[in-house]
Amino acid sequence: QVQLQESGPGLVEPSGTLSLTCAVSGGSITSDNWWSWVRQPPGKGLEWIGEMFHRGDINYNPSLESRVTLSVDKSKNQLSLKLYSVTAADTAIYYCARMPYFYYSMDVWGQGTTVTV
Amino acid sequence: EIVLTQSPGTLSLSPGERATLSCRASQGVSSDYLAWYQQKPGQAPRLLIYGASKRATGIPDRFSGSRSGTDFTLSITRLEPEDFAVYYCQQYSKPALYAFGQGTRLEI
């Protein structure tokens, strides 16, 4: 079955760039699924960051749109997230998740990776 | 922007009891666009219900979702010890925006 694994630096300096990848195994990133990033600050709820489809369609949370870039590397079967000009408020667990077409929800999640600013 | 409000914030019940969790949308939401997740400490969220009432793969039938107007309900009959967790509702609104409720903690 499909598995997702996030990775990246656990510590980012303020005003720096947070860069994460999400490796997809057990399935293709070019399948009929959207792929999302979600984050969760310590002890708080979930916040959707954005989604993308392998053909290049991308949607961002308006609250983060000016600072975030999502991309896909089909050759590596992985997703990438870049968040610019980070502050302490960006400290969170970052998850990637699969979103099947017409589910409008996230049915497979990575284990998450903790990033501290 | 649609805002989801979950209630109660914390629900204290015992194993074997029935849990009823609420998620109210600030404006009309299509049933197709409402989902529920369970999250246990140190774990990623797990999809329980999508399309307001459709159980995700592998979810026991003691979990069910329903809708009445702008109110969505997650019901858990016969609580098992492993059901005590935090539950989130999530909605999709066009053109492309996902939002989560603030969560309900179900505690023993």
Side-chain angles (χ1 to χ4, degrees):
Chain A
Q1 71 277 23
V2 172
Q3 293 185 313
L4 309 178
Q5 179 68 59
E6 305 90 346
S7 61
L11 186 63
V12 181
E13 292 293 319
S15 78
T17 297
L18 181 160
S19 297
L20 298 176
T21 60
C22 172
V24 179
S25 60
S28 174
I29 206 165
T30 59
S31 57
D32 280 341
N33 297 289
W34 286 76
W35 306 90
S36 260
W37 288 91
V38 175
R39 69 180 182 178
Q40 184 171 36
K44 296 188 178 181
L46 302 165
E47 180 182 32
W48 176 71
I49 299 171
E51 63 174 356
M52 71 175 305
F53 196 71
H54 64 84
R55 285 196 297 258
D57 308 79
I58 302 175
N59 297 300
Y60 296 115
N61 186 328
S63 68
L64 296 169
E65 186 166 12
S66 63
R67 299 195 293 129
V68 66
T69 298
L70 301 185
S71 61
V72 62
D73 187 331
K74 298 176 189 178
S75 66
K76 295 182 178 179
N77 215 38
Q78 70 181 28
L79 316 162
S80 294
L81 161 71
K82 290 187 183 297
L83 184 64
Y84 306 98
S85 304
V86 298
T87 69
D90 295 311
T91 294
I93 300 172
Y94 286 76
Y95 298 100
C96 57
R98 185 182 77 171
M99 302 169 55
Y101 243 102
F102 304 121
Y103 266 46
Y104 303 102
S105 57
M106 301 147 203
D107 73 332
V108 178
W109 294 67
Q111 65 183 29
T113 187
T114 299
V115 178
T116 301
V117 179
Chain B
E1 178 187 350
I2 296 177
V3 176
L4 296 178
T5 302
Q6 293 188 240
S7 61
T10 300
L11 183 59
S12 299
L13 293 170
S14 299
E17 292 189 301
R18 178 188 180 97
T20 302
L21 287 67
S22 175
C23 175
R24 173 169 291 180
S26 58
Q27 56 185 278
V29 175
S30 168
S31 291
D32 290 340
Y33 302 158
L34 197 287
W36 289 94
Y37 301 85
Q38 175 194 69
Q39 188 178 33
K40 298 179 181 180
Q43 297 185 16
R46 177 174 71 145
L47 179 66
L48 299 174
I49 301 287
Y50 66 98
S53 60
K54 301 170 187 174
R55 273 188 299 276
T57 302
I59 302 303
D61 60 7
R62 65 177 182 274
F63 290 89
S64 63
S66 61
R67 172 187 187 168
S68 176
T70 59
D71 291 344
F72 295 85
T73 299
L74 174 69
S75 298
I76 313 171
T77 59
R78 305 180 307 276
L79 283 167
E80 299 284 345
E82 62 267 27
D83 297 336
F84 292 91
V86 178
Y87 292 84
Y88 294 95
C89 58
Q90 169 249 302
Q91 61 84 24
Y92 164 82
S93 57
K94 294 183 178 181
L97 179 63
Y98 292 83
F100 293 89
Q102 82 279 18
T104 289
R105 180 179 303 278
L106 177 58
E107 63 177 25
I108 298 179

